[in-house]
């Protein structure tokens, strides 16, 4: 079963948007974020925590049409971003982790995690240059919540040189919603920052 394309597209875009419409927020002294939707807690030590501000886009004429369209999508909810403290010189994007959610249409309520991966793989192949899934999707779990993980890469659009982007995604289905953590980084920084993203996601634990 393949999910609606317009519902799938939004999950990869937040990592490319960067921090144009974000406001910084430091939740308490402890570097943790509660994720009540999944009953989990994430440790974000080493990252800058920011929340997406959809109201900031309307007056910002410098943003691209694609970004404005994404921001006005009422179905997709960007929960938060985690950004690297500094962006490497010469990088088109800043390494980040984002967490988003959206409701699953009723007619796709019986879709599986594998169905979803197949859907977005086919969709992104038609949108992004040289998009490919690099790993066999793996089932995993955090606490009681099951998810599926996979890696992919593609060519960053609208760049003079072929800049490859790597993504790591963890997808959860729960109570009619899909929740996705996406780690996004330049392919050139993969060996340096891959473990940081993986280690951060591995801190997900059940809320006590």
């Amino acid at each position: 079963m393949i999910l609606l394309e317009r519902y799938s597209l939004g999950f990869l875009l937040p990592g490319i948007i960067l921090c144009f419409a974000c406001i910084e927020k430091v939740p308490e002294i402890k570097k943790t974020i509660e994720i009540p939707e999944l009953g989990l807690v994430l440790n974000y030590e080493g990252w800058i925590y920011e929340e997406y501000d959809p109201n900031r886009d309307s007056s910002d004429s410098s943003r691209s049409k694609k970004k404005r369209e994404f921001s006005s999508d009422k179905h997709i909810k960007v929960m938060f971003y985690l950004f690297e403290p500094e962006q490497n010189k010469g990088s088109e994007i800043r390494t980040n982790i984002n967490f988003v959610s959206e409701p699953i249409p009723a007619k796709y309520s019986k879709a599986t995690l594998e169905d979803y991966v197949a859907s977005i793989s086919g969709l992104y192949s038609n949108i992004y240059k040289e998009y490919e899934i690099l790993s066999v999707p793996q089932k995993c779990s955090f606490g009681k919540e099951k998810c599926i993980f996979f890696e992919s890469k593609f060519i960053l659009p609208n760049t003079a040189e072929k800049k490859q982007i790597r993504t790591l995604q963890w997808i959860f289905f729960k109570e009619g919603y899909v929740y996705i953590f996406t780690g996004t980084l330049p392919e050139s920084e993969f060996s340096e920052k891959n473990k940081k993203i993986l280690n951060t996601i591995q801190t997900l634990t059940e809320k006590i």
Side-chain angles (χ1 to χ4, degrees), residues 133-157:
I133 291 181
L134 303 175
S135 62
V136 176
Q138 303 172 22
K139 292 183 178 180
C140 51
S141 61
F142 296 92
K144 298 177 182 177
E145 300 303 326
K146 298 183 183 302
C147 66
I148 196 164
F149 165 76
F150 67 99
E151 295 183 44
S152 59
K153 69 177 181 179
F154 61 95
I155 300 297
L156 187 67

mmCIF file with all atom_site columns, all heavy atoms in Angstrom, residues 133-157:
data_model
loop_
_atom_site.group_PDB
_atom_site.id
_atom_site.type_symbol
_atom_site.label_atom_id
_atom_site.label_alt_id
_atom_site.label_comp_id
_atom_site.label_asym_id
_atom_site.label_entity_id
_atom_site.label_seq_id
_atom_site.pdbx_PDB_ins_code
_atom_site.Cartn_x
_atom_site.Cartn_y
_atom_site.Cartn_z
_atom_site.occupancy
_atom_site.B_iso_or_equiv
_atom_site.pdbx_formal_charge
_atom_site.auth_seq_id
_atom_site.auth_comp_id
_atom_site.auth_asym_id
_atom_site.auth_atom_id
_atom_site.pdbx_PDB_model_num
ATOM 1   N N   . ILE A 1 133 ? 18.111 4.684  -1.620 1.00 0.00 ? 133 ILE A N   1
ATOM 2   C CA  . ILE A 1 133 ? 18.175 4.155  -0.263 1.00 0.00 ? 133 ILE A CA  1
ATOM 3   C C   . ILE A 1 133 ? 19.442 3.334  -0.147 1.00 0.00 ? 133 ILE A C   1
ATOM 4   O O   . ILE A 1 133 ? 19.708 2.470  -0.979 1.00 0.00 ? 133 ILE A O   1
ATOM 5   C CB  . ILE A 1 133 ? 16.926 3.311  0.060  1.00 0.00 ? 133 ILE A CB  1
ATOM 6   C CG1 . ILE A 1 133 ? 15.700 4.224  0.159  1.00 0.00 ? 133 ILE A CG1 1
ATOM 7   C CG2 . ILE A 1 133 ? 17.117 2.547  1.359  1.00 0.00 ? 133 ILE A CG2 1
ATOM 8   C CD1 . ILE A 1 133 ? 14.419 3.497  0.508  1.00 0.00 ? 133 ILE A CD1 1
ATOM 9   N N   . LEU A 1 134 ? 20.232 3.608  0.867  1.00 0.00 ? 134 LEU A N   1
ATOM 10  C CA  . LEU A 1 134 ? 21.551 3.001  0.998  1.00 0.00 ? 134 LEU A CA  1
ATOM 11  C C   . LEU A 1 134 ? 21.578 1.767  1.880  1.00 0.00 ? 134 LEU A C   1
ATOM 12  O O   . LEU A 1 134 ? 22.558 1.027  1.876  1.00 0.00 ? 134 LEU A O   1
ATOM 13  C CB  . LEU A 1 134 ? 22.536 4.034  1.557  1.00 0.00 ? 134 LEU A CB  1
ATOM 14  C CG  . LEU A 1 134 ? 22.670 5.320  0.742  1.00 0.00 ? 134 LEU A CG  1
ATOM 15  C CD1 . LEU A 1 134 ? 23.586 6.296  1.466  1.00 0.00 ? 134 LEU A CD1 1
ATOM 16  C CD2 . LEU A 1 134 ? 23.205 5.018  -0.650 1.00 0.00 ? 134 LEU A CD2 1
ATOM 17  N N   . SER A 1 135 ? 20.542 1.568  2.660  1.00 0.00 ? 135 SER A N   1
ATOM 18  C CA  . SER A 1 135 ? 20.534 0.432  3.582  1.00 0.00 ? 135 SER A CA  1
ATOM 19  C C   . SER A 1 135 ? 19.187 -0.271 3.540  1.00 0.00 ? 135 SER A C   1
ATOM 20  O O   . SER A 1 135 ? 18.170 0.343  3.222  1.00 0.00 ? 135 SER A O   1
ATOM 21  C CB  . SER A 1 135 ? 20.817 0.902  5.015  1.00 0.00 ? 135 SER A CB  1
ATOM 22  O OG  . SER A 1 135 ? 19.799 1.790  5.457  1.00 0.00 ? 135 SER A OG  1
ATOM 23  N N   . VAL A 1 136 ? 19.197 -1.535 3.836  1.00 0.00 ? 136 VAL A N   1
ATOM 24  C CA  . VAL A 1 136 ? 17.937 -2.271 3.950  1.00 0.00 ? 136 VAL A CA  1
ATOM 25  C C   . VAL A 1 136 ? 17.194 -1.724 5.168  1.00 0.00 ? 136 VAL A C   1
ATOM 26  O O   . VAL A 1 136 ? 17.775 -1.643 6.254  1.00 0.00 ? 136 VAL A O   1
ATOM 27  C CB  . VAL A 1 136 ? 18.192 -3.781 4.124  1.00 0.00 ? 136 VAL A CB  1
ATOM 28  C CG1 . VAL A 1 136 ? 16.882 -4.515 4.338  1.00 0.00 ? 136 VAL A CG1 1
ATOM 29  C CG2 . VAL A 1 136 ? 18.934 -4.331 2.926  1.00 0.00 ? 136 VAL A CG2 1
ATOM 30  N N   . PRO A 1 137 ? 15.938 -1.291 5.008  1.00 0.00 ? 137 PRO A N   1
ATOM 31  C CA  . PRO A 1 137 ? 15.198 -0.776 6.166  1.00 0.00 ? 137 PRO A CA  1
ATOM 32  C C   . PRO A 1 137 ? 15.211 -1.773 7.317  1.00 0.00 ? 137 PRO A C   1
ATOM 33  O O   . PRO A 1 137 ? 14.933 -2.960 7.121  1.00 0.00 ? 137 PRO A O   1
ATOM 34  C CB  . PRO A 1 137 ? 13.794 -0.560 5.605  1.00 0.00 ? 137 PRO A CB  1
ATOM 35  C CG  . PRO A 1 137 ? 14.021 -0.283 4.146  1.00 0.00 ? 137 PRO A CG  1
ATOM 36  C CD  . PRO A 1 137 ? 15.156 -1.192 3.767  1.00 0.00 ? 137 PRO A CD  1
ATOM 37  N N   . GLN A 1 138 ? 15.545 -1.298 8.494  1.00 0.00 ? 138 GLN A N   1
ATOM 38  C CA  . GLN A 1 138 ? 15.671 -2.157 9.663  1.00 0.00 ? 138 GLN A CA  1
ATOM 39  C C   . GLN A 1 138 ? 14.619 -1.815 10.716 1.00 0.00 ? 138 GLN A C   1
ATOM 40  O O   . GLN A 1 138 ? 14.428 -0.647 11.040 1.00 0.00 ? 138 GLN A O   1
ATOM 41  C CB  . GLN A 1 138 ? 17.064 -1.990 10.288 1.00 0.00 ? 138 GLN A CB  1
ATOM 42  C CG  . GLN A 1 138 ? 18.200 -2.271 9.343  1.00 0.00 ? 138 GLN A CG  1
ATOM 43  C CD  . GLN A 1 138 ? 19.545 -1.912 9.961  1.00 0.00 ? 138 GLN A CD  1
ATOM 44  O OE1 . GLN A 1 138 ? 19.692 -1.840 11.171 1.00 0.00 ? 138 GLN A OE1 1
ATOM 45  N NE2 . GLN A 1 138 ? 20.540 -1.691 9.117  1.00 0.00 ? 138 GLN A NE2 1
ATOM 46  N N   . LYS A 1 139 ? 13.973 -2.845 11.234 1.00 0.00 ? 139 LYS A N   1
ATOM 47  C CA  . LYS A 1 139 ? 13.022 -2.628 12.318 1.00 0.00 ? 139 LYS A CA  1
ATOM 48  C C   . LYS A 1 139 ? 13.793 -2.414 13.623 1.00 0.00 ? 139 LYS A C   1
ATOM 49  O O   . LYS A 1 139 ? 14.803 -3.065 13.867 1.00 0.00 ? 139 LYS A O   1
ATOM 50  C CB  . LYS A 1 139 ? 12.091 -3.832 12.462 1.00 0.00 ? 139 LYS A CB  1
ATOM 51  C CG  . LYS A 1 139 ? 11.133 -4.001 11.291 1.00 0.00 ? 139 LYS A CG  1
ATOM 52  C CD  . LYS A 1 139 ? 10.193 -5.169 11.530 1.00 0.00 ? 139 LYS A CD  1
ATOM 53  C CE  . LYS A 1 139 ? 9.208  -5.313 10.378 1.00 0.00 ? 139 LYS A CE  1
ATOM 54  N NZ  . LYS A 1 139 ? 8.272  -6.458 10.583 1.00 0.00 ? 139 LYS A NZ  1
ATOM 55  N N   . CYS A 1 140 ? 13.326 -1.492 14.429 1.00 0.00 ? 140 CYS A N   1
ATOM 56  C CA  . CYS A 1 140 ? 13.956 -1.241 15.716 1.00 0.00 ? 140 CYS A CA  1
ATOM 57  C C   . CYS A 1 140 ? 12.886 -0.755 16.687 1.00 0.00 ? 140 CYS A C   1
ATOM 58  O O   . CYS A 1 140 ? 11.721 -0.605 16.313 1.00 0.00 ? 140 CYS A O   1
ATOM 59  C CB  . CYS A 1 140 ? 15.089 -0.222 15.592 1.00 0.00 ? 140 CYS A CB  1
ATOM 60  S SG  . CYS A 1 140 ? 14.634 1.297  14.737 1.00 0.00 ? 140 CYS A SG  1
ATOM 61  N N   . SER A 1 141 ? 13.272 -0.524 17.919 1.00 0.00 ? 141 SER A N   1
ATOM 62  C CA  . SER A 1 141 ? 12.302 -0.058 18.907 1.00 0.00 ? 141 SER A CA  1
ATOM 63  C C   . SER A 1 141 ? 12.998 0.789  19.960 1.00 0.00 ? 141 SER A C   1
ATOM 64  O O   . SER A 1 141 ? 14.189 0.620  20.233 1.00 0.00 ? 141 SER A O   1
ATOM 65  C CB  . SER A 1 141 ? 11.588 -1.239 19.568 1.00 0.00 ? 141 SER A CB  1
ATOM 66  O OG  . SER A 1 141 ? 12.514 -2.068 20.246 1.00 0.00 ? 141 SER A OG  1
ATOM 67  N N   . PHE A 1 142 ? 12.236 1.686  20.537 1.00 0.00 ? 142 PHE A N   1
ATOM 68  C CA  . PHE A 1 142 ? 12.681 2.518  21.648 1.00 0.00 ? 142 PHE A CA  1
ATOM 69  C C   . PHE A 1 142 ? 11.603 2.425  22.721 1.00 0.00 ? 142 PHE A C   1
ATOM 70  O O   . PHE A 1 142 ? 10.482 2.888  22.508 1.00 0.00 ? 142 PHE A O   1
ATOM 71  C CB  . PHE A 1 142 ? 12.882 3.965  21.198 1.00 0.00 ? 142 PHE A CB  1
ATOM 72  C CG  . PHE A 1 142 ? 13.980 4.125  20.185 1.00 0.00 ? 142 PHE A CG  1
ATOM 73  C CD1 . PHE A 1 142 ? 13.699 4.076  18.829 1.00 0.00 ? 142 PHE A CD1 1
ATOM 74  C CD2 . PHE A 1 142 ? 15.296 4.296  20.589 1.00 0.00 ? 142 PHE A CD2 1
ATOM 75  C CE1 . PHE A 1 142 ? 14.710 4.212  17.888 1.00 0.00 ? 142 PHE A CE1 1
ATOM 76  C CE2 . PHE A 1 142 ? 16.313 4.430  19.656 1.00 0.00 ? 142 PHE A CE2 1
ATOM 77  C CZ  . PHE A 1 142 ? 16.022 4.385  18.304 1.00 0.00 ? 142 PHE A CZ  1
ATOM 78  N N   . GLY A 1 143 ? 11.945 1.784  23.830 1.00 0.00 ? 143 GLY A N   1
ATOM 79  C CA  . GLY A 1 143 ? 10.905 1.505  24.810 1.00 0.00 ? 143 GLY A CA  1
ATOM 80  C C   . GLY A 1 143 ? 9.886  0.572  24.191 1.00 0.00 ? 143 GLY A C   1
ATOM 81  O O   . GLY A 1 143 ? 10.234 -0.430 23.561 1.00 0.00 ? 143 GLY A O   1
ATOM 82  N N   . LYS A 1 144 ? 8.625  0.942  24.276 1.00 0.00 ? 144 LYS A N   1
ATOM 83  C CA  . LYS A 1 144 ? 7.556  0.121  23.712 1.00 0.00 ? 144 LYS A CA  1
ATOM 84  C C   . LYS A 1 144 ? 7.243  0.486  22.268 1.00 0.00 ? 144 LYS A C   1
ATOM 85  O O   . LYS A 1 144 ? 6.432  -0.189 21.614 1.00 0.00 ? 144 LYS A O   1
ATOM 86  C CB  . LYS A 1 144 ? 6.296  0.270  24.564 1.00 0.00 ? 144 LYS A CB  1
ATOM 87  C CG  . LYS A 1 144 ? 6.454  -0.195 26.005 1.00 0.00 ? 144 LYS A CG  1
ATOM 88  C CD  . LYS A 1 144 ? 5.189  0.060  26.801 1.00 0.00 ? 144 LYS A CD  1
ATOM 89  C CE  . LYS A 1 144 ? 5.356  -0.349 28.263 1.00 0.00 ? 144 LYS A CE  1
ATOM 90  N NZ  . LYS A 1 144 ? 4.145  -0.037 29.067 1.00 0.00 ? 144 LYS A NZ  1
ATOM 91  N N   . GLU A 1 145 ? 7.863  1.545  21.786 1.00 0.00 ? 145 GLU A N   1
ATOM 92  C CA  . GLU A 1 145 ? 7.532  2.040  20.450 1.00 0.00 ? 145 GLU A CA  1
ATOM 93  C C   . GLU A 1 145 ? 8.413  1.420  19.369 1.00 0.00 ? 145 GLU A C   1
ATOM 94  O O   . GLU A 1 145 ? 9.635  1.516  19.428 1.00 0.00 ? 145 GLU A O   1
ATOM 95  C CB  . GLU A 1 145 ? 7.649  3.564  20.409 1.00 0.00 ? 145 GLU A CB  1
ATOM 96  C CG  . GLU A 1 145 ? 6.739  4.281  21.378 1.00 0.00 ? 145 GLU A CG  1
ATOM 97  C CD  . GLU A 1 145 ? 5.277  3.935  21.166 1.00 0.00 ? 145 GLU A CD  1
ATOM 98  O OE1 . GLU A 1 145 ? 4.871  3.719  19.996 1.00 0.00 ? 145 GLU A OE1 1
ATOM 99  O OE2 . GLU A 1 145 ? 4.534  3.893  22.169 1.00 0.00 ? 145 GLU A OE2 1
ATOM 100 N N   . LYS A 1 146 ? 7.771  0.797  18.386 1.00 0.00 ? 146 LYS A N   1
ATOM 101 C CA  . LYS A 1 146 ? 8.496  0.182  17.277 1.00 0.00 ? 146 LYS A CA  1
ATOM 102 C C   . LYS A 1 146 ? 8.632  1.197  16.137 1.00 0.00 ? 146 LYS A C   1
ATOM 103 O O   . LYS A 1 146 ? 7.772  2.045  15.930 1.00 0.00 ? 146 LYS A O   1
ATOM 104 C CB  . LYS A 1 146 ? 7.768  -1.064 16.796 1.00 0.00 ? 146 LYS A CB  1
ATOM 105 C CG  . LYS A 1 146 ? 7.655  -2.154 17.858 1.00 0.00 ? 146 LYS A CG  1
ATOM 106 C CD  . LYS A 1 146 ? 6.996  -3.392 17.293 1.00 0.00 ? 146 LYS A CD  1
ATOM 107 C CE  . LYS A 1 146 ? 6.820  -4.454 18.365 1.00 0.00 ? 146 LYS A CE  1
ATOM 108 N NZ  . LYS A 1 146 ? 8.109  -4.832 18.982 1.00 0.00 ? 146 LYS A NZ  1
ATOM 109 N N   . CYS A 1 147 ? 9.722  1.082  15.392 1.00 0.00 ? 147 CYS A N   1
ATOM 110 C CA  . CYS A 1 147 ? 9.938  1.982  14.268 1.00 0.00 ? 147 CYS A CA  1
ATOM 111 C C   . CYS A 1 147 ? 10.740 1.265  13.195 1.00 0.00 ? 147 CYS A C   1
ATOM 112 O O   . CYS A 1 147 ? 11.093 0.090  13.341 1.00 0.00 ? 147 CYS A O   1
ATOM 113 C CB  . CYS A 1 147 ? 10.653 3.253  14.718 1.00 0.00 ? 147 CYS A CB  1
ATOM 114 S SG  . CYS A 1 147 ? 12.343 2.989  15.289 1.00 0.00 ? 147 CYS A SG  1
ATOM 115 N N   . ILE A 1 148 ? 11.011 1.976  12.120 1.00 0.00 ? 148 ILE A N   1
ATOM 116 C CA  . ILE A 1 148 ? 11.841 1.437  11.047 1.00 0.00 ? 148 ILE A CA  1
ATOM 117 C C   . ILE A 1 148 ? 12.893 2.485  10.701 1.00 0.00 ? 148 ILE A C   1
ATOM 118 O O   . ILE A 1 148 ? 12.610 3.692  10.708 1.00 0.00 ? 148 ILE A O   1
ATOM 119 C CB  . ILE A 1 148 ? 10.992 1.065  9.817  1.00 0.00 ? 148 ILE A CB  1
ATOM 120 C CG1 . ILE A 1 148 ? 11.773 0.155  8.875  1.00 0.00 ? 148 ILE A CG1 1
ATOM 121 C CG2 . ILE A 1 148 ? 10.451 2.274  9.092  1.00 0.00 ? 148 ILE A CG2 1
ATOM 122 C CD1 . ILE A 1 148 ? 10.899 -0.564 7.858  1.00 0.00 ? 148 ILE A CD1 1
ATOM 123 N N   . PHE A 1 149 ? 14.109 2.030  10.441 1.00 0.00 ? 149 PHE A N   1
ATOM 124 C CA  . PHE A 1 149 ? 15.228 2.939  10.163 1.00 0.00 ? 149 PHE A CA  1
ATOM 125 C C   . PHE A 1 149 ? 15.830 2.638  8.796  1.00 0.00 ? 149 PHE A C   1
ATOM 126 O O   . PHE A 1 149 ? 15.955 1.472  8.397  1.00 0.00 ? 149 PHE A O   1
ATOM 127 C CB  . PHE A 1 149 ? 16.316 2.761  11.233 1.00 0.00 ? 149 PHE A CB  1
ATOM 128 C CG  . PHE A 1 149 ? 17.637 3.371  10.850 1.00 0.00 ? 149 PHE A CG  1
ATOM 129 C CD1 . PHE A 1 149 ? 17.827 4.734  10.919 1.00 0.00 ? 149 PHE A CD1 1
ATOM 130 C CD2 . PHE A 1 149 ? 18.677 2.570  10.391 1.00 0.00 ? 149 PHE A CD2 1
ATOM 131 C CE1 . PHE A 1 149 ? 19.046 5.311  10.545 1.00 0.00 ? 149 PHE A CE1 1
ATOM 132 C CE2 . PHE A 1 149 ? 19.900 3.131  10.021 1.00 0.00 ? 149 PHE A CE2 1
ATOM 133 C CZ  . PHE A 1 149 ? 20.083 4.504  10.104 1.00 0.00 ? 149 PHE A CZ  1
ATOM 134 N N   . PHE A 1 150 ? 16.212 3.695  8.079  1.00 0.00 ? 150 PHE A N   1
ATOM 135 C CA  . PHE A 1 150 ? 16.942 3.508  6.833  1.00 0.00 ? 150 PHE A CA  1
ATOM 136 C C   . PHE A 1 150 ? 17.735 4.777  6.499  1.00 0.00 ? 150 PHE A C   1
ATOM 137 O O   . PHE A 1 150 ? 17.444 5.860  7.003  1.00 0.00 ? 150 PHE A O   1
ATOM 138 C CB  . PHE A 1 150 ? 16.013 3.137  5.672  1.00 0.00 ? 150 PHE A CB  1
ATOM 139 C CG  . PHE A 1 150 ? 15.066 4.232  5.258  1.00 0.00 ? 150 PHE A CG  1
ATOM 140 C CD1 . PHE A 1 150 ? 15.347 5.037  4.163  1.00 0.00 ? 150 PHE A CD1 1
ATOM 141 C CD2 . PHE A 1 150 ? 13.879 4.443  5.949  1.00 0.00 ? 150 PHE A CD2 1
ATOM 142 C CE1 . PHE A 1 150 ? 14.474 6.041  3.776  1.00 0.00 ? 150 PHE A CE1 1
ATOM 143 C CE2 . PHE A 1 150 ? 12.998 5.442  5.565  1.00 0.00 ? 150 PHE A CE2 1
ATOM 144 C CZ  . PHE A 1 150 ? 13.292 6.247  4.476  1.00 0.00 ? 150 PHE A CZ  1
ATOM 145 N N   . GLU A 1 151 ? 18.745 4.611  5.659  1.00 0.00 ? 151 GLU A N   1
ATOM 146 C CA  . GLU A 1 151 ? 19.574 5.725  5.203  1.00 0.00 ? 151 GLU A CA  1
ATOM 147 C C   . GLU A 1 151 ? 19.339 5.953  3.721  1.00 0.00 ? 151 GLU A C   1
ATOM 148 O O   . GLU A 1 151 ? 19.059 5.021  2.968  1.00 0.00 ? 151 GLU A O   1
ATOM 149 C CB  . GLU A 1 151 ? 21.059 5.432  5.431  1.00 0.00 ? 151 GLU A CB  1
ATOM 150 C CG  . GLU A 1 151 ? 21.457 5.301  6.881  1.00 0.00 ? 151 GLU A CG  1
ATOM 151 C CD  . GLU A 1 151 ? 22.957 5.075  7.029  1.00 0.00 ? 151 GLU A CD  1
ATOM 152 O OE1 . GLU A 1 151 ? 23.732 5.768  6.329  1.00 0.00 ? 151 GLU A OE1 1
ATOM 153 O OE2 . GLU A 1 151 ? 23.342 4.195  7.817  1.00 0.00 ? 151 GLU A OE2 1
ATOM 154 N N   . SER A 1 152 ? 19.491 7.188  3.294  1.00 0.00 ? 152 SER A N   1
ATOM 155 C CA  . SER A 1 152 ? 19.370 7.505  1.875  1.00 0.00 ? 152 SER A CA  1
ATOM 156 C C   . SER A 1 152 ? 20.246 8.703  1.551  1.00 0.00 ? 152 SER A C   1
ATOM 157 O O   . SER A 1 152 ? 20.768 9.373  2.447  1.00 0.00 ? 152 SER A O   1
ATOM 158 C CB  . SER A 1 152 ? 17.906 7.822  1.522  1.00 0.00 ? 152 SER A CB  1
ATOM 159 O OG  . SER A 1 152 ? 17.429 8.919  2.292  1.00 0.00 ? 152 SER A OG  1
ATOM 160 N N   . LYS A 1 153 ? 20.421 8.964  0.261  1.00 0.00 ? 153 LYS A N   1
ATOM 161 C CA  . LYS A 1 153 ? 21.162 10.153 -0.148 1.00 0.00 ? 153 LYS A CA  1
ATOM 162 C C   . LYS A 1 153 ? 20.606 10.655 -1.477 1.00 0.00 ? 153 LYS A C   1
ATOM 163 O O   . LYS A 1 153 ? 19.939 9.927  -2.216 1.00 0.00 ? 153 LYS A O   1
ATOM 164 C CB  . LYS A 1 153 ? 22.663 9.871  -0.255 1.00 0.00 ? 153 LYS A CB  1
ATOM 165 C CG  . LYS A 1 153 ? 23.076 8.965  -1.396 1.00 0.00 ? 153 LYS A CG  1
ATOM 166 C CD  . LYS A 1 153 ? 24.608 8.834  -1.436 1.00 0.00 ? 153 LYS A CD  1
ATOM 167 C CE  . LYS A 1 153 ? 25.055 7.946  -2.587 1.00 0.00 ? 153 LYS A CE  1
ATOM 168 N NZ  . LYS A 1 153 ? 26.537 7.827  -2.650 1.00 0.00 ? 153 LYS A NZ  1
ATOM 169 N N   . PHE A 1 154 ? 20.907 11.920 -1.783 1.00 0.00 ? 154 PHE A N   1
ATOM 170 C CA  . PHE A 1 154 ? 20.441 12.526 -3.024 1.00 0.00 ? 154 PHE A CA  1
ATOM 171 C C   . PHE A 1 154 ? 21.291 13.758 -3.303 1.00 0.00 ? 154 PHE A C   1
ATOM 172 O O   . PHE A 1 154 ? 22.106 14.176 -2.470 1.00 0.00 ? 154 PHE A O   1
ATOM 173 C CB  . PHE A 1 154 ? 18.954 12.904 -2.929 1.00 0.00 ? 154 PHE A CB  1
ATOM 174 C CG  . PHE A 1 154 ? 18.643 13.898 -1.844 1.00 0.00 ? 154 PHE A CG  1
ATOM 175 C CD1 . PHE A 1 154 ? 18.578 15.258 -2.101 1.00 0.00 ? 154 PHE A CD1 1
ATOM 176 C CD2 . PHE A 1 154 ? 18.404 13.458 -0.544 1.00 0.00 ? 154 PHE A CD2 1
ATOM 177 C CE1 . PHE A 1 154 ? 18.303 16.173 -1.097 1.00 0.00 ? 154 PHE A CE1 1
ATOM 178 C CE2 . PHE A 1 154 ? 18.110 14.366 0.475  1.00 0.00 ? 154 PHE A CE2 1
ATOM 179 C CZ  . PHE A 1 154 ? 18.062 15.722 0.195  1.00 0.00 ? 154 PHE A CZ  1
ATOM 180 N N   . ILE A 1 155 ? 21.093 14.349 -4.475 1.00 0.00 ? 155 ILE A N   1
ATOM 181 C CA  . ILE A 1 155 ? 21.809 15.555 -4.852 1.00 0.00 ? 155 ILE A CA  1
ATOM 182 C C   . ILE A 1 155 ? 20.991 16.763 -4.423 1.00 0.00 ? 155 ILE A C   1
ATOM 183 O O   . ILE A 1 155 ? 19.799 16.854 -4.705 1.00 0.00 ? 155 ILE A O   1
ATOM 184 C CB  . ILE A 1 155 ? 22.041 15.611 -6.382 1.00 0.00 ? 155 ILE A CB  1
ATOM 185 C CG1 . ILE A 1 155 ? 22.871 14.401 -6.848 1.00 0.00 ? 155 ILE A CG1 1
ATOM 186 C CG2 . ILE A 1 155 ? 22.742 16.916 -6.761 1.00 0.00 ? 155 ILE A CG2 1
ATOM 187 C CD1 . ILE A 1 155 ? 24.261 14.340 -6.270 1.00 0.00 ? 155 ILE A CD1 1
ATOM 188 N N   . LEU A 1 156 ? 21.630 17.688 -3.727 1.00 0.00 ? 156 LEU A N   1
ATOM 189 C CA  . LEU A 1 156 ? 20.934 18.886 -3.266 1.00 0.00 ? 156 LEU A CA  1
ATOM 190 C C   . LEU A 1 156 ? 20.483 19.718 -4.460 1.00 0.00 ? 156 LEU A C   1
ATOM 191 O O   . LEU A 1 156 ? 21.297 20.050 -5.333 1.00 0.00 ? 156 LEU A O   1
ATOM 192 C CB  . LEU A 1 156 ? 21.864 19.712 -2.378 1.00 0.00 ? 156 LEU A CB  1
ATOM 193 C CG  . LEU A 1 156 ? 21.244 20.914 -1.665 1.00 0.00 ? 156 LEU A CG  1
ATOM 194 C CD1 . LEU A 1 156 ? 20.230 20.443 -0.631 1.00 0.00 ? 156 LEU A CD1 1
ATOM 195 C CD2 . LEU A 1 156 ? 22.326 21.741 -0.996 1.00 0.00 ? 156 LEU A CD2 1
ATOM 196 N N   . PRO A 1 157 ? 19.184 20.054 -4.542 1.00 0.00 ? 157 PRO A N   1
ATOM 197 C CA  . PRO A 1 157 ? 18.681 20.824 -5.689 1.00 0.00 ? 157 PRO A CA  1
ATOM 198 C C   . PRO A 1 157 ? 19.250 22.241 -5.727 1.00 0.00 ? 157 PRO A C   1
ATOM 199 O O   . PRO A 1 157 ? 19.662 22.797 -4.705 1.00 0.00 ? 157 PRO A O   1
ATOM 200 C CB  . PRO A 1 157 ? 17.162 20.867 -5.421 1.00 0.00 ? 157 PRO A CB  1
ATOM 201 C CG  . PRO A 1 157 ? 16.899 19.788 -4.431 1.00 0.00 ? 157 PRO A CG  1
ATOM 202 C CD  . PRO A 1 157 ? 18.142 19.685 -3.598 1.00 0.00 ? 157 PRO A CD  1
#
